[in-house]
Amino acid sequence: MAERQEQAAPDAVLTRIGQVVMLHHGGDREEARSRFLHLWAEVGEDGDPLHRCTLAHYLADTQDDPADELAWDLRALSAAEEIAGGHVDADPASVRGFFPSLHLNLAADYAKLGRAEAARSHLRRARSAAHCLTDDGYGAGVRTEISRLALRLGEDGTPGDEGWGAGQRP
């Protein structure tokens, strides 16, 4: 019984991450970045990969420098790949739905940095992974952003007139 209650109890770190996400969405980017970094220090480089993935994903959103945004998005992808690869004691299926968004964000990061080939590569990966998205608002939103970024990259893979600015994410 105690084991069932433990499984049903909310994850305190994910709850705290969600609270900071609300702060960020409320417009306090600097405070959100500070709190995310504090959480990152608590979780650590070797902490739970789901926590690292989630934190790094949201930390990327608070960055001003596209190179810093890319670094956090790469950390998020690496942590998700640990789980998906079965390298930790977690269900690999639990992160399957993350990959379209993770690759989409990396594609946008690379586009901002003028690295068109890398952007196209991650855009292809986002499209390929999108089959696992559900037909809900989240899935529709990610698919829409994949299409928008594809249009922005153009057929030759170079950013169009509407390039991504700092802090803008699909």
Side-chain angles (χ1 to χ4, degrees), residues 17-18 23 32 39 55 64 66-70 83 86 98 106 115 134 137-139 141 163 168:
I17 292 169
L23 179 70
L39 280 168
L55 268 169
D64 297 322
D68 292 338
E69 187 175 353
L70 172 63
I83 297 168
F98 293 1
L106 284 163
R115 296 177 59 189
T134 56
Y138 173 77
Q168 292 179 314

Side-chain angles (χ1 to χ4, degrees), residues 83-143:
I83 297 168
H87 303 294
V88 295
D89 187 26
D91 179 10
S94 68
V95 294
R96 193 171 299 132
F98 293 1
F99 286 100
S101 178
L102 292 171
H103 285 295
L104 172 63
N105 288 337
L106 284 163
D109 295 343
Y110 283 120
K112 283 187 243 180
L113 292 167
R115 296 177 59 189
E117 188 54 41
R120 283 195 312 249
S121 174
H122 280 282
L123 186 61
R124 283 190 300 272
R125 291 177 186 176
R127 279 187 180 134
S128 176
H131 74 278
C132 70
L133 293 171
T134 56
D135 290 328
D136 59 6
Y138 173 77
V142 172
R143 284 186 195 93

Side-chain angles (χ1 to χ4, degrees), residues 40 44-53 74-95 98-99 102:
W40 183 263
E45 292 283 334
D46 297 319
D48 181 303
L50 179 60
H51 295 159
R52 287 186 288 120
C53 176
L74 287 169
R75 285 181 184 106
L77 178 63
S78 177
E81 287 175 336
E82 277 182 56
I83 297 168
H87 303 294
V88 295
D89 187 26
D91 179 10
S94 68
V95 294
F98 293 1
F99 286 100
L102 292 171

Side-chain angles (χ1 to χ4, degrees), residues 20-78:
V20 180
V21 168
M22 288 189 291
L23 179 70
H24 181 232
H25 288 173
D28 198 343
R29 185 180 181 142
E30 292 297 321
E31 182 62 21
R33 180 177 23 224
S34 174
R35 289 186 189 192
F36 280 139
L37 287 170
H38 180 75
L39 280 168
W40 183 263
E42 284 181 33
V43 169
E45 292 283 334
D46 297 319
D48 181 303
L50 179 60
H51 295 159
R52 287 186 288 120
C53 176
T54 306
L55 268 169
H57 174 72
Y58 286 114
L59 255 162
D61 292 343
T62 66
Q63 301 306 304
D64 297 322
D65 182 329
D68 292 338
E69 187 175 353
L70 172 63
W72 284 110
D73 279 328
L74 287 169
R75 285 181 184 106
L77 178 63
S78 177

